[in-house]
Structures are given as structure tokens and as C-alpha cells.
Amino acid sequence: MTGADSTSLVERDSRVLWHPFTQHSRWLEDRPIVVDRAEGMYFWDIDGTRYLDGVSSLWVNVHGHAHPEIVAAITEQIRRLDHTTFLGLTHEPGIRLAEELLGVAPPGLQRVFYAGDGSSAVEAALKMAYQAHAQTTGVRPLIVHLAEGYHGDTLGAVSVGGISLFHETYRSIMLETRQIGSPGLREVGQTPAERAAEVLAELRDLMAAEGSQVCAVIVEPMVQGAGGMLTHHADFLRGVREVCDATGAFMIADEVATGLGRTGAMFAVDHAAVAPDLLTLGKGVTGGVLPLSAVLATEAIYEAFLGAPIEAKTFFHGHSYTANPPAAAAALANLNLMRRNNTVVRAQEIGDRIGRNLAVLDEHPGVKEVRRLGTMTGIEVFAKTERTGFDICQQARRAGVWVRPLGDVVILMPPLALRDDEVDQLTGAVTDSIDAVLG
Ligand SMILES: Cc1ncc(COP(=O)(O)O)c(C=O)c1O
């Protein structure tokens, strides 16, 4: 603590910083919160005001902030081994974490490759899919992805994104891909199963024409998060698996947002009892404390990279901080807490309570739709202005609850250890704010 006040810090910030996904022409006017500390489900600004962290600090926090067991695990680890490279060296936290992740992963995933954040895990998965084909069945340069999909902000991840606002600008420098419809975007009166069948038919047609050129189909399973919490029927995932099996394309499940409990199952693909060939993990892996992500791969994909060094089949890919030991220790503590606290079951309970509490919005004239799976919740409103979603979140902020919109969709995605009264605080502030802004 320096004793600086929030006004002077925001001024200093505005002179030197460039924030992610932020239009800086509005930054000062929107009065950003200067966060001072965080504990449990709350964070405090430097003026002492408390906020409930209703979006788990962008979908990462699991057991609350500064959980003593995660803090202790990191501290102990950092004293023993802070960081060494994972290129040519290995260490126990990295090994144990891989064993534990594979222990809870869908069947068939047998290898763990570490990366740094969600986007870098997606990049690695895309390159693995491409190179595995190139080294076995032959080059297949196309990747299939979904409209309204989001997989991160690096160029490979952007190439398989389907949100025009974020992705269109970069079209001319992207990888070549094929986009199919979003299984979560339904016509009025269309059931989720009908929509799943429709998009699967589109996928089958595409694969009939170009399947031999497709190395992978990438999906956000069950919930397209950044697309506005668009949920789809589990049949869609089963269909994608069948199409991939029939055509030899790899199925990549991007579980960076959905993985490790958020949807009320350990992995979102579990809702469909489907196992992908590659699965990406990030965000909550460390309990939301340190950056770490991973790609889980089948043994068949791993074996495609084996050969004599001269054959150059190696996966020439990695980062300076791969398998960072304190991050791995945090992830081990996170998984331990998840087991002990039955976090996946608790996530279901929290989600059910959110659903019950938000039922009051069913008939609300300002609300178009409430979408939810487990704790991942999106409330789509009828916008009065281009900033209606934002205005609702600013209103909630005045009530001590921090949530973020995605356009006209107010997102709720709390930590998975929220108590019932805290769930009520979250949904109460959000429904009151919707009333205040939309009447
Ligand atoms: C499904 C999905 N994949 C990848 C990412 C990118 O993760 P990161 O922001 O850690 O790079 C996100 C982030 O929201 C995501 O939701």
C-alpha cells in the first residue's frame, strides 16, 4: 500500500496503461475500480468498498480469493523450486498435476502438454491436430469451427473464432477455416435438439465435400461462453464425435471456460458422454490464482510425433514458463479442494439456485432470454441503448456486486464455493439492476 487515492491512481493508469478489451476513450468516464485486496468471494477497492466477485474474475476463480491452502501450496513450492524450464528438465509438481488431470479427464486422453493461458493452449491444440495429420495421413489444412465461437485472442485462436466484432478485423491474416452455424442460436420455436440436428447436417455436408482436407473440428462444448452463454443440446457433441470418427478429423473440445466444474459436470463433454481427441484447459485450473493451461491429448496423437530426431517430427512448440512449479502447485491444491469439497456437486447446486432465483425474469418485459448450464449464466436483455448491458452492470456495482456484460448479455459466473446467501445477493443485485435500468 502506498497510500495513493483512487483518483490519482486512475489518472496515472490512464497515462501509461492499455487495458484488454477496453475502449480507452470511455475509460475515465466509466470510473474504473482500483482493486486493493481480495478474500473469499469478495474484493475491495482502495477506498474500502466491497464487491462480490460475480464473474469469478473473468471466469477463473474457483474456491474464493486467497484460499489459505492454495496460498500455502504456492508459498511452499516457490521456496523449494521457483521455476526451471520444462525443456529438457522435469519436476514433480508438473508430473503429479498431469497424473491428476488425466485421472479426472474423459477416457482416452493420456498426455498433458502445458501452456500458459487459454489462448496458448488452443494454439498448441490446433498445431498438434495439423502436425499429427501431416505426419501420418497427410496434410489437411482446414479447421472447422462454430459461428459465435471464441477460443482466445492469438491469431490461431482468432482464426477459429466466430464473433465478428472481435474477429472480423483480422480476416485477411487468418488461417483458412470453415465455419458452420452456432448450435446455440435457435429460431423462435425451434427446440435445442432440432437446432443441433440442423447444424450437424451442415457439418456433414461440409465434410462430405471437404472432409479429407479438415484436420480438426473445434467446439466449445455445451456452452459458447463469450458468444453470450449460448447453450446447446448434448446431441450436438455426440454428432460432432461421430462425424470426426467417420472422416478422421480430430475433435478438439475447448474446455478453457467450461472445464473443471463450471457447468455442473467435471467437463462439459461429460454431459454428452463424449471424449474428444484434444481437450484444452485453462482459467480455473489453478483455482484462478496463477496462469496455467494445458492440452490433453490421446496417445495416438502423441505417437504421431515420435520418430528419430532427424525425422523432425518433434512438436517444436513451448513457452518460457511452461509447467511453472508454483502454478502447478496451485493447480494441485485446487484439485485437492475440489475433491474434498465436492465442488462439482456444489456447482450444480449453485447453478440450480441461480436458475430458481432468476425465474422472476421469465416474464420480465426487458429480458429476452436467460441461458444457463451449471453456474454459467447469461441474461440477454432487450437493449435500450448500445450500453444497456454495461449500464446494468454499473448499477449492480453500486449495490456491491461486480458482473460484466457481453454486449446485451449480463454474465453471471461466480466462484464455485459461493454460499446460498451469496448466490441470493448476486441474483438479487442483478435482477434489481435490470429493473432499475429497464423498468
Ligand atoms: C472457450 C475459451 N477458450 C479460450 C479462451 C482464452 O483464454 P485466455 O483468455 O486465458 O487466453 C477463453 C477465454 O475466455 C475461452 O472462453
Side-chain angles (χ1 to χ4, degrees), residues 307-321:
I310 191 128
E311 291 178 87
K313 286 184 169 177
T314 305
F315 189 43
F316 291 108
H317 182 109
H319 302 284
S320 313
Y321 285 97

Side-chain angles (χ1 to χ4, degrees), residues 58-59 116-120 122 150-153 157 220 223 225-226 254-258 280 282-283:
L58 218 66
W59 315 357
D117 49 33
S119 308
S120 60
V122 169
Y150 179 81
H151 300 281
D153 300 325
E220 283 165 89
V223 189
D254 178 359
E255 296 245 15
V256 165
T258 51
T280 53
K283 290 198 182 278

Side-chain angles (χ1 to χ4, degrees), residues 213-279:
Q213 295 300 296
V214 172
C215 69
V217 180
I218 183 164
V219 296
E220 283 165 89
M222 301 305 290
V223 189
Q224 292 184 284
M229 297 295 171
L230 297 169
T231 55
H232 58 247
H233 198 282
D235 277 357
F236 178 69
L237 298 179
R238 290 188 274 269
V240 170
R241 180 68 274 176
E242 274 168 31
V243 171
C244 287
D245 285 341
T247 55
F250 295 126
M251 177 177 179
I252 306 177
D254 178 359
E255 296 245 15
V256 165
T258 51
L260 298 177
R262 293 275 171 203
T263 67
M266 185 55 98
F267 295 98
V269 288
D270 296 343
H271 291 281
V274 152
D277 301 291
L278 292 159
L279 184 148

Side-chain angles (χ1 to χ4, degrees), residues 13-243:
D13 168 297
S14 72
R15 279 199 289 276
V16 292
L17 281 167
W18 188 347
H19 289 259
F21 282 87
T22 298
Q23 179 43 260
H24 273 271
S25 65
R26 304 291 281 269
W27 178 240
L28 287 178
E29 187 187 320
D30 293 340
R31 295 183 304 107
I33 294 173
V34 183
V35 185
D36 177 40
R37 66 189 181 90
E39 194 183 324
M41 306 304 140
Y42 297 90
F43 60 85
W44 283 258
D45 69 16
I46 65 162
D47 302 317
T49 307
R50 188 182 83 157
Y51 302 91
L52 180 71
D53 190 351
V55 285
S56 305
S57 289
L58 218 66
W59 315 357
V60 299
N61 194 279
V62 181
H63 308 284
H65 292 277
H67 192 287
E69 287 185 35
I70 298 183
V71 172
I74 294 170
T75 315
E76 207 177 296
Q77 181 58 50
I78 217 161
R79 287 208 180 100
R80 183 169 196 90
L81 170 64
D82 51 359
H83 184 76
T84 50
T85 177
F86 222 49
L87 281 66
L89 297 176
T90 192
H91 48 65
E92 194 182 349
I95 296 166
R96 271 184 47 216
L97 178 58
E99 288 167 349
E100 292 208 12
L101 287 173
L102 296 175
V104 293
L109 296 170
Q110 288 176 272
R111 295 281 163 178
V112 175
F113 184 91
Y114 292 116
D117 49 33
S119 308
S120 60
V122 169
E123 294 294 326
L126 296 175
K127 285 174 72 179
M128 281 174 182
Y130 173 80
Q131 192 175 341
H133 272 297
Q135 291 174 178
T136 52
T137 54
V139 168
R140 298 167 69 146
L142 298 177
I143 303 157
V144 175
H145 63 98
L146 306 182
E148 305 307 324
Y150 179 81
H151 300 281
D153 300 325
T154 48
L155 273 179
V158 166
S159 303
V160 292
I163 302 178
S164 11
L165 179 65
F166 302 161
H167 302 140
E168 210 40 51
T169 312
Y170 308 101
R171 187 60 59 200
S172 64
I173 52 167
M174 285 185 192
L175 304 174
E176 202 180 346
T177 63
R178 297 290 181 266
Q179 179 172 295
I180 56 171
S182 163
L185 275 187
R186 295 189 299 280
E187 299 287 332
V188 178
Q190 194 178 32
T191 67
E194 283 164 356
R195 180 60 184 156
E198 190 172 57
V199 181
L200 283 172
E202 197 187 338
L203 176 63
R204 283 192 197 98
D205 287 349
L206 169 69
M207 296 302 267
E210 294 190 284
S212 64
Q213 295 300 296
V214 172
C215 69
V217 180
I218 183 164
V219 296
E220 283 165 89
M222 301 305 290
V223 189
Q224 292 184 284
M229 297 295 171
L230 297 169
T231 55
H232 58 247
H233 198 282
D235 277 357
F236 178 69
L237 298 179
R238 290 188 274 269
V240 170
R241 180 68 274 176
E242 274 168 31
V243 171

Side-chain angles (χ1 to χ4, degrees), residues 332-406:
L332 284 163
N334 171 42
L335 291 175
N336 194 31
L337 282 165
M338 284 189 75
R339 261 189 310 270
R340 213 176 61 221
N341 297 344
N342 257 325
T343 297
V344 178
V345 173
R346 181 62 195 149
Q348 266 170 30
E349 292 166 357
I350 293 170
D352 290 347
R353 193 171 183 94
I354 291 175
R356 282 195 299 277
N357 290 357
L358 293 186
V360 294
L361 297 177
D362 285 351
E363 304 302 320
H364 196 293
V367 174
K368 194 168 171 193
E369 191 178 40
V370 178
R371 299 183 284 266
R372 183 185 64 78
L373 184 68
T375 60
M376 296 179 73
T377 310
I379 306 166
E380 184 165 356
V381 296
F382 290 109
K384 285 211 295 204
T385 68
E386 53 164 12
R387 296 192 108 200
T388 301
F390 179 81
D391 291 343
I392 293 167
C393 294
Q394 286 289 81
Q395 183 72 26
R397 165 182 164 177
R398 287 190 273 277
V401 165
W402 175 248
V403 282
R404 291 260 311 167
L406 280 160

